[in-house]
Amino acid sequence: MRVGAYVDGLNVYYGGRHLCGRDASGWRWFDLAASVERMIARNAAWTAKGATLHRLVYCTALIRGEVDPDGRHCQEAYLAALRADDRITIELGHFALRKVHRQAGEDGVRETREVPNEKGSDVNVASHLLIDIHTEAIDAAVLVSNDGDLRLPAQHARIHVPTGTANPRGRSTARHLRGEPNDGVGGHWWYRLTAEDFFDDQLPEVVGGVRKPAGW
C-alpha cells in the first residue's frame, strides 16, 4: 500500500514552536519522513496491508531574506536536507508583504509596517493530494496540517483512499478536519503530534553534506 504524505510546512513549524518552546533547541531539524513512518506503524490495519511511505510533499514558503537573512539561511539548509530523501518533493508558495496600521505611544501616532503573509501552502497541499489520488499514484494518504481550510480536499480524500490526519498544532483538531473512521472507503485515523514527536524524530546532524544549523 503506497502512502503519500502532504505536509503544510508553516503549520508544522508553528506547531513545533508552540509545543517545544520558541527558544528551545532540538526540534526544528524535524525528520518528517520518519515521523510519518511512525504514524503509519501505529495503525495495525494499515501495516497489515503493507503500508509504506511512497512520497512526501512538503509545502512551504521561503522566508524573505531581506526581512530575516539568518532565518532564510537556516530554512534553505533544512530544505536541502529534506531533498536528500528522494521520496520528498518541496513545493514552494511565497510570502507577500501586507501593511499593518496601529497606534503607537501615548500620543497615538499611527505607525505602518509591513508584515510577511504566507501564501499558497494550503492550495499546494490540496492540489498535490487530489492529483495523486486521481492519477492513482497512491493507495492511502496522510495529511499533516490543522488548517480547517483543507476541509473539502480532506473529505474528498476519504471518499477515495484511507486517510490519516496528523494535527501538528498541539491543540484540538480543527472541526472541519474531523470525520469518522468509516467515511467513504474507511480505514481513516487521526493523530495529534506531541513535543516528543518533534524531539525524537530528528534528522542526522549532517544530511547530504548539509549540517544542522547551530541552535536547531
Side-chain angles (χ1 to χ4, degrees), residues 71-198:
R72 173 66 173 261
H73 176 74
C74 291
Q75 184 187 32
E76 288 178 338
Y78 182 57
L79 295 181
L82 291 180
R83 289 189 180 102
D85 187 330
D86 59 12
R87 296 172 298 176
I88 297 179
T89 297
I90 309 293
E91 188 69 58
L92 295 176
H94 67 282
F95 277 102
L97 292 176
R98 63 184 177 89
K99 291 183 177 180
V100 175
H101 306 282
R102 69 183 182 93
Q103 288 188 341
E106 294 180 358
D107 55 5
V109 175
R110 286 177 63 81
E111 289 184 346
T112 300
R113 62 190 181 97
E114 291 185 322
V115 177
N117 189 26
E118 187 270 335
K119 298 285 187 181
S121 288
D122 52 355
V123 174
N124 290 335
V125 167
S127 297
H128 277 282
L129 170 64
L130 297 180
I131 288 169
D132 284 356
I133 289 172
H134 289 292
T135 58
E136 298 183 351
I138 59 170
D139 306 304
V142 176
L143 175 62
V144 187
S145 178
N146 197 39
D147 186 345
D149 289 346
L150 293 170
R151 174 189 61 83
L152 186 59
Q155 289 177 344
H156 187 80
R158 293 182 202 122
I159 294 171
H160 296 276
V161 297
T163 302
T165 304
N167 170 9
R169 292 306 298 265
R171 54 176 181 253
S172 297
T173 298
R175 177 170 56 87
H176 291 310
L177 293 182
R178 299 173 196 167
E180 298 295 333
N182 294 321
D183 289 343
V185 297
H188 316 302
W189 49 263
W190 287 259
Y191 180 72
R192 190 186 306 179
L193 285 162
T194 66
E196 287 72 24
D197 289 310
F198 282 92

Side-chain angles (χ1 to χ4, degrees), residues 28-83:
R28 291 175 177 82
W29 202 237
F30 188 35
D31 190 339
L32 285 160
S35 187
V36 171
E37 286 173 331
R38 292 220 295 181
M39 294 180 212
I40 292 169
R42 290 185 182 101
N43 188 278
W46 282 32
T47 55
K49 295 179 180 179
T52 56
L53 181 61
H54 178 65
R55 70 182 308 243
L56 186 150
V57 182
Y58 180 73
C59 299
T60 191
L62 289 175
I63 297 168
R64 296 178 71 101
E66 71 274 21
V67 175
D68 183 1
D70 291 338
R72 173 66 173 261
H73 176 74
C74 291
Q75 184 187 32
E76 288 178 338
Y78 182 57
L79 295 181
L82 291 180
R83 289 189 180 102

